[in-house]
Amino acid sequence: MQQVKHLITKMAGTAAQKINRPFTVIVEGNIGSGKTTFLQQIARNENVCVLAEPVDNWRDVNGHNLLGLMYEDPKKWSFTFQSYVQLTMLQNHLQQTGAPIKLIERSLYSARYCFVEKLAKDGLLPQPSFAVIDKWFSWIKSQKLAEVDMIVYLRTSPEVVYERILQRKRPEERTVSLEHLRSLNQYHEDWLFNKNKFECPAPTLVLNADQERETVAKEFLRLEPEILSTLNIKAEAHG
Ligand code: TTP
Ligand code: MG
């Protein structure tokens, strides 16, 4: 959607004087919340570098489908899978681009604060394995290798994403239950909405993503003044 791209361009232009790297937006939300679709609505051109989530890479690591293995036997494969997810997320954060704006589906943060956290709490990721992933995560953060400027949180209800996941029929996700989505939703909510669990690495814009995708994009546009003020930017100075 051309206008969405225009708005992000405007935000990035206004923030450019403050930072010496691309203005980086991460798009977060439960499985099936519409992150990929949202990114696709931002027209691709030389000003915007769009990095969709590397799900296909997770399905073929030297011929191994780590995503599939993780769902089949989480106790055995969660550490392997989440270690690789962390690597591919870091690669996205570090991806060089000449574009002034970078949009990333998910981030190191949601992998750690939602998925890894849940696996550990559910007893599927042993504490020593959790500790290793967390040490890597903390070190990456301390080195400022995953800096972000804005979070777009596509907020959904578990029932809606459950339906979408059933419809899209990703083979690995056939065992995903409504209960699992409710729990994952709570991790996202505590992190990005209630803000009572983990730090938010950037100002967060919350969109109701139960709606049709066109409506979500329109809502994003309608919130322009709020976005700009959240980012402490005076829109009129840069119109
Ligand atoms: P999502 O990262 O939520 O991506 P999606 O493409 O399903 O979302 P959208 O429809 O909004 O575009 O999940 C992809 C799959 O990877 C899903 O089965 C959950 C799994 N996953 C983990 O198990 N651990 C992780 O750390 C991440 C990031 C994903
Ligand atoms: Mg996606």
Side-chain angles (χ1 to χ4, degrees), residues 58-70:
W58 306 342
R59 288 173 150 152
D60 182 8
V61 184
N62 293 355
H64 304 289
N65 182 347
L66 298 191
L67 180 68
L69 289 171
M70 190 273 303

Side-chain angles (χ1 to χ4, degrees), residues 123-142:
L124 295 169
L125 188 64
Q127 283 302 313
S129 307
F130 171 77
V132 171
I133 291 181
D134 190 55
K135 288 285 178 201
W136 272 102
F137 173 76
S138 302
W139 181 81
I140 291 165
K141 249 190 353 165
S142 73

Side-chain angles (χ1 to χ4, degrees), residues 24-28 34-44 48-59 84-85 87-95 97 101-108 110 154 168 170:
T24 304
V25 181
I26 56 175
V27 180
E28 300 285 3
K35 299 178 291 295
T36 304
T37 311
F38 185 82
L39 288 178
Q40 284 164 351
Q41 287 174 311
I42 317 277
R44 282 159 197 263
V48 188
C49 166
V50 177
L51 299 174
E53 191 168 53
V55 177
D56 287 340
N57 292 353
W58 306 342
R59 288 173 150 152
Y84 191 64
V85 167
L87 171 65
T88 58
M89 292 296 177
L90 177 61
Q91 286 168 333
N92 273 353
H93 283 288
L94 293 178
Q95 176 72 51
T97 172
I101 304 152
K102 193 157 132 181
L103 296 178
I104 313 180
E105 179 172 359
R106 286 214 181 272
S107 63
L108 272 170
S110 52
L154 300 181
R168 79 177 172 196
R170 240 185 219 156

